[in-house]
Amino acid sequence: MFKNRVKTFVLPFSICFVVAMALYPDSKLDPENYSTEGLELDYNIKEDLALNSQSYKNENTTTIFTPYLGKSFEGFKEALAFKESRGNYFTVNTLGYLGKYQFGSETLKLIGIYSPKSFLYNPELQEKAFVANTERNKWILRNDIKRFEGKSIAGVRITESGILAAAHLAGPGSVKKFLRSSGNYNFSDAYGSTVRYYMKKFSGYDTSFVKPNKKAKARI
């Protein structure tokens, strides 16, 4: 009996409340009157990911809260992008390399992109291109990953993510030469970044998301 009375009261009240909010969207609500305290809540995010967060202050000293990507694949992408272009989709460097991940036009052709200008102004395509190029590099380097992962070469512990990052910098051929020469062949780009440096800087990320694909293409 009591439960039936509660339902009879609560349901009309809830409907009236929703209607009132719809009719008067600008009305002010005191958030202190509403609380989840004491409720049993369910979440669909892992606790360790929820706790791994960081905050920083911008130039206006406003505290900004951001998720901490850690060693995830997203963390790998964003760390590499920051090194390449500080995450700027629309930048072109002095050598003509394009976008957030600094692609050259010849590499773009390998993954099915023939218009550098269109590529530069399409962030979604740039993200697709990064994944496709990484999939292609992982296929080319699949045997070297199996052979050298976990070993130490030139003072660097070799990991899959380090290999893939170095391949993004110098191409898979230069990475093969570095690994198979025990680090004696160490390609350096025009700005002084080397295969060894990328191997070390981007080691230990989880790149298992990337599947080896000889024919990977970037499509949207």
Side-chain angles (χ1 to χ4, degrees):
M1 177 70 75
F2 177 74
K3 289 184 178 180
N4 290 335
R5 289 180 178 178
V6 169
K7 290 181 180 179
T8 302
F9 172 76
V10 171
L11 183 59
F13 177 80
S14 300
I15 294 174
C16 291
F17 180 80
V18 172
V19 172
M21 291 301 96
L23 294 175
Y24 304 101
D26 296 328
S27 61
K28 294 183 179 180
L29 298 176
D30 184 355
E32 293 187 358
N33 291 332
Y34 301 88
S35 174
T36 58
E37 184 177 358
L39 296 179
E40 183 176 343
L41 303 176
D42 295 320
Y43 299 92
N44 59 4
I45 185 170
K46 292 182 179 179
E47 182 180 23
D48 57 347
L49 181 59
L51 295 177
N52 283 336
S53 58
Q54 61 184 357
S55 60
Y56 64 93
K57 292 184 181 296
N58 63 14
E59 59 185 5
N60 297 319
T61 69
T62 301
T63 299
I64 306 297
F65 178 84
T66 61
Y68 178 59
L69 300 176
K71 290 292 185 176
S72 67
F73 179 69
E74 289 300 321
F76 173 72
K77 284 201 314 152
E78 294 307 314
L80 189 55
F82 188 81
K83 176 65 177 69
E84 293 290 324
S85 70
R86 293 192 173 270
N88 186 347
Y89 283 110
F90 310 111
T91 188
V92 181
N93 75 5
T94 57
L95 299 176
Y97 288 84
L98 306 161
K100 180 177 177 179
Y101 301 101
Q102 293 292 277
F103 276 97
S105 58
E106 294 305 312
T107 300
L108 290 177
K109 290 177 184 178
L110 293 174
I111 54 176
I113 299 173
Y114 300 96
S115 175
K117 184 176 180 180
S118 297
F119 170 80
L120 183 63
Y121 294 103
N122 192 328
E124 182 182 359
L125 184 57
Q126 291 189 34
E127 296 296 338
K128 296 283 188 179
F130 180 83
V131 173
N133 188 56
T134 306
E135 289 175 342
R136 180 177 176 276
N137 287 338
K138 189 168 181 176
W139 184 86
I140 296 171
L141 292 162
R142 64 197 185 283
N143 293 328
D144 295 274
I145 291 171
K146 291 179 182 178
R147 178 181 174 187
F148 294 104
E149 189 173 20
K151 296 182 178 180
S152 182
I153 296 178
V156 176
R157 182 174 176 80
I158 304 303
T159 66
E160 181 180 281
S161 63
I163 288 175
L164 295 177
H168 183 83
L169 169 77
S174 293
V175 174
K176 284 178 180 284
K177 291 179 181 179
F178 174 86
L179 295 171
R180 297 176 186 185
S181 69
S182 297
N184 290 319
Y185 179 88
N186 188 22
F187 171 88
S188 176
D189 73 3
Y191 300 105
S193 294
T194 65
V195 167
R196 180 186 179 279
Y197 173 77
Y198 267 53
M199 287 267 193
K200 182 176 182 179
K201 183 174 180 63
F202 298 104
S203 67
Y205 286 88
D206 181 6
T207 50
S208 59
F209 167 86
V210 179
K211 305 304 178 185
N213 185 354
K214 180 182 180 180
K215 299 180 180 180
K217 303 294 181 184
R219 296 186 177 91
I220 56 174

